[in-house]
Amino acid sequence: MLGGGSLLSSLPLYADESLNIPTQWKIFLQQASSLPYEQRIPLEELNQYPTSLLLSKNQYPNFEHYSWGDLSALKTIQQHCTVPTAWQINTVTLDSNLDKASQFELALCRHEPLSHAWFSHGKLFHPAGGTYADRYLKTLSTSEKATFIKQYVMQLTLATPEHPLFAAFSLISTQGRDALLSQYRAYLMPNGILWLNTQFGIISITPETWRPLLKALNISIEPKIKNTQSCSFEYSNLCIQPASNSNQWIIMSLAILFLSSVFIAIRQRRIEAQERKFILQFLTHELRTPITSLGLTVEQFRQQFDFLNEDTQESFWRLLADQQRLSQLAETSKGFLSVDPNAQFQPQTAYLSDWLDHCLEKHHLTYQLDHDQELTLPYYWLGICLDNLIKNALQHGKGNARISVSVASQLRIEVRDEGEYPNVFQRFFKSNAQPKSHHNMGIGLTVVAQLMKKMGGKYYYYRHPTRCILELPL
């Protein structure tokens, strides 16, 4: 084990109860920086390389500035050694880095060497992630690599094993490396190794070495595993708490034993809910790739539309409608599954009449609208609520279903039929008497009420005759 400096060794090794947790944490950092360390990445070596090339974010595709289509076009150049026709036509307006990337991919595909001048001008980063130097290095022979690295080491990222700091940083997780390079002074690994960013460089300290400091400071330090984890003070990925005394542990243990059965049941339900949400998020994410591919197929058919026969044209319109619906469903679901409540009900701007025509067309119903205007509303989720009310009226109501819409300080949509809305007891006995099938397994009026409440509106009904009403403030 290597020795550390004696800087700040005169600091007190006892806990002052008048000091708060952040102050105790600062004292700990000062004391830990002078402890013996196992590994060290000297500050002089770190300063030799640009920080931007050491961060992991630059190893991934840059979707902030380039679209999926741009990256697909570059992939096509890799595979076929030809520039897409659209890029050949629009070379004047083509992004300078995309132009450079296309030149790069053509040179690799044709096995043409790139000059020093080529690497010396323009951007360092490839749109698909990493630097041009990273990618070019992989194509070189062993003998050529040494010369290239010597000349262009300042253009390599840590994703390249030949980078001089690759071996040192391989001992730290990607998150830890990014934290320490982003001016955080500490990062705690799951195995208890504490990495510190000190004035001498980045060092690692074993738990057997740094944990004895905690008792004197009367604090505890553990890695923060979950965002829901409660901490008195957070820093980087560390959760810093005041140390608990034995009496507190006894009281806490008794409380846990008393509430264990309830806690386990609640925790199990929460885990199941999180798993369901994860699956939904995963499926929504995975749907985007086939939906994008389907969109490209639809676009190809669109270009050949005039040459299709009438039956094929009719099938194309159905395909286009289904593709647009799938795309909207995936995008809307992504927002609804977001932890940001403002992203759950993303509004769209459209004329009310256009939205009503779209919703009612499949039911072959008309509507009454007192005043048409362009509104910005969460039309997708509002459409689900309206569609459920219409299906309920058509399947369980009597006579004709009528829809009336009014716009004032709020949007009011009424679905009316000539039947009588069942009371609570009638709905209970009817639900138990009906067989469970796909005909009566809709989202239900209860969920309609919940959706309207989450959107800031409300759902209510009248029984004689049946009138189901949606209201949403404007």
Side-chain angles (χ1 to χ4, degrees):
M1 182 178 291
L2 301 175
S6 59
L7 183 68
L8 301 172
S9 59
S10 61
L11 285 168
L13 290 175
Y14 56 86
D16 185 344
E17 295 183 359
S18 66
L19 299 180
N20 56 25
I21 296 297
T23 303
Q24 301 285 50
W25 161 246
K26 290 180 181 179
I27 295 174
F28 170 82
L29 272 180
Q30 293 170 342
Q31 296 175 354
S33 298
S34 63
L35 292 174
Y37 53 81
E38 275 202 329
Q39 304 288 337
R40 181 170 78 97
I41 307 175
L43 186 63
E44 308 82 59
E45 293 185 21
L46 288 171
N47 289 338
Q48 291 179 22
Y49 306 100
T51 302
S52 60
L53 290 173
L54 303 180
L55 294 172
S56 65
K57 66 177 182 180
N58 292 316
Q59 300 170 16
Y60 303 102
N62 185 356
F63 285 111
E64 292 183 7
H65 296 94
Y66 305 103
S67 67
W68 182 86
D70 294 333
L71 301 184
S72 296
L74 291 175
K75 186 68 175 179
T76 301
I77 297 175
Q78 289 180 357
Q79 296 173 340
H80 304 291
C81 295
T82 180
V83 178
T85 304
W87 285 14
Q88 296 176 9
I89 297 173
N90 300 301
T91 53
V92 177
T93 59
L94 190 65
D95 181 276
S96 60
N97 199 33
L98 283 178
D99 186 37
K100 182 173 182 177
S102 65
Q103 296 174 20
F104 179 80
E105 296 300 343
L106 279 174
L108 294 190
C109 188
R110 296 169 180 172
H111 305 288
E112 298 174 354
L114 293 172
S115 65
H116 173 73
W118 194 94
F119 284 100
S120 301
H121 296 88
K123 295 185 177 181
L124 296 178
F125 295 103
H126 191 286
T131 63
Y132 291 104
D134 288 341
R135 292 169 174 265
Y136 192 71
L137 181 63
K138 295 177 181 178
T139 67
L140 301 178
S141 64
T142 304
S143 59
E144 294 172 322
K145 284 184 177 181
T147 303
F148 184 85
I149 292 171
K150 185 176 180 180
Q151 192 169 10
Y152 299 106
V153 67
M154 302 302 292
Q155 295 187 20
L156 298 177
T157 69
L158 279 179
T160 304
E162 291 81 3
H163 194 287
L165 295 180
F166 179 85
F169 274 110
S170 64
L171 302 172
I172 316 175
S173 66
T174 300
Q175 296 86 346
R177 182 182 72 202
D178 288 345
L180 293 169
L181 292 173
S182 300
Q183 305 307 312
Y184 279 106
R185 293 189 59 191
Y187 189 87
L188 183 57
M189 297 288 287
N191 60 3
I193 298 293
L194 181 65
W195 287 85
L196 297 179
N197 191 346
T198 72
Q199 59 182 328
F200 307 109
I202 296 177
I203 63 175
S204 68
I205 307 173
T206 63
E208 295 79 14
T209 304
W210 65 265
R211 284 199 178 276
L213 297 178
L214 301 181
K215 184 176 182 180
L217 294 170
N218 198 31
I219 58 174
S220 68
I221 298 177
E222 299 296 338
K224 185 170 171 52
I225 301 174
K226 298 180 180 178
N227 290 331
T228 55
Q229 185 175 345
S230 176
C231 301
S232 298
F233 180 70
E234 296 179 24
Y235 184 86
S236 185
N237 76 323
L238 281 68
C239 181
I240 306 160
Q241 304 268 40
S244 301
N245 58 42
S246 58
N247 290 334
Q248 289 175 327
W249 277 110
I250 294 174
I251 296 173
M252 185 179 296
S253 299
L254 292 174
I256 291 175
L257 288 173
F258 179 74
L259 298 172
S260 59
S261 59
V262 177
F263 173 79
I264 292 172
I266 294 175
R267 183 174 180 272
Q268 186 63 33
R269 291 182 61 182
R270 184 175 180 179
I271 291 173
E272 292 173 355
Q274 289 175 339
E275 290 176 348
R276 287 195 296 269
K277 185 174 182 179
F278 169 76
I279 293 298
L280 287 174
Q281 289 173 327
F282 174 76
L283 291 176
T284 299
H285 174 77
E286 288 299 303
L287 274 174
R288 297 178 68 183
T289 298
I291 289 173
T292 302
S293 177
L294 181 60
L296 295 175
T297 303
V298 169
E299 186 60 31
Q300 291 176 349
F301 276 110
R302 188 198 300 273
Q303 295 172 0
Q304 302 294 325
F305 182 80
D306 293 337
F307 302 100
L308 304 175
N309 60 47
E310 185 175 346
D311 291 340
T312 307
Q313 289 180 347
E314 188 67 28
S315 298
F316 168 76
W317 289 121
R318 291 197 299 270
L319 178 64
L320 177 61
D322 290 342
Q323 186 268 334
Q324 291 175 340
R325 180 175 175 82
L326 280 172
S327 180
Q328 182 186 34
L329 177 62
E331 193 62 30
T332 307
S333 298
K334 182 179 71 173
F336 186 75
L337 292 169
S338 171
V339 296
D340 180 8
N342 296 323
Q344 294 180 354
F345 296 96
Q346 289 291 337
Q348 302 86 33
T349 301
Y351 276 95
L352 199 54
S353 58
D354 292 338
W355 173 70
L356 289 169
D357 290 339
H358 174 74
C359 290
L360 301 182
E361 179 182 11
K362 59 185 175 182
H363 298 293
H364 306 290
L365 295 175
T366 59
Y367 59 88
Q368 292 180 346
L369 175 61
D370 67 345
H371 176 58
D372 190 19
Q373 65 182 86
E374 192 177 45
L375 298 175
T376 300
L377 299 169
Y379 281 114
Y380 180 81
W381 297 107
L382 193 60
I384 289 180
C385 294
L386 176 58
D387 188 66
N388 196 72
L389 295 187
I390 293 173
K391 288 180 179 178
N392 187 70
L394 295 177
Q395 293 177 7
H396 306 292
K398 295 181 180 179
N400 296 324
R402 290 175 290 175
I403 295 91
S404 59
V405 183
S406 61
V407 181
S409 61
Q410 61 184 6
L411 173 65
R412 186 178 188 274
I413 303 174
E414 178 179 306
V415 179
R416 178 173 184 163
D417 63 69
E418 299 172 11
E420 180 175 324
Y421 197 92
N423 58 37
V424 175
F425 297 103
Q426 290 172 326
R427 293 201 302 273
F428 173 77
F429 288 113
K430 185 176 181 180
S431 64
N432 285 319
Q434 287 181 335
K436 301 298 182 183
S437 70
H438 66 279
H439 296 294
N440 54 20
M441 292 181 66
I443 64 171
L445 298 181
T446 301
V447 180
V448 169
Q450 293 176 351
L451 282 175
M452 291 302 298
K453 183 177 180 180
K454 285 181 176 291
M455 288 187 284
K458 61 181 178 179
Y459 159 73
Y460 60 95
Y461 61 88
Y462 296 101
R463 295 187 59 213
H464 306 288
T466 298
R467 294 163 58 200
C468 296
I469 299 166
L470 305 176
E471 288 186 353
L472 190 65
L474 299 178

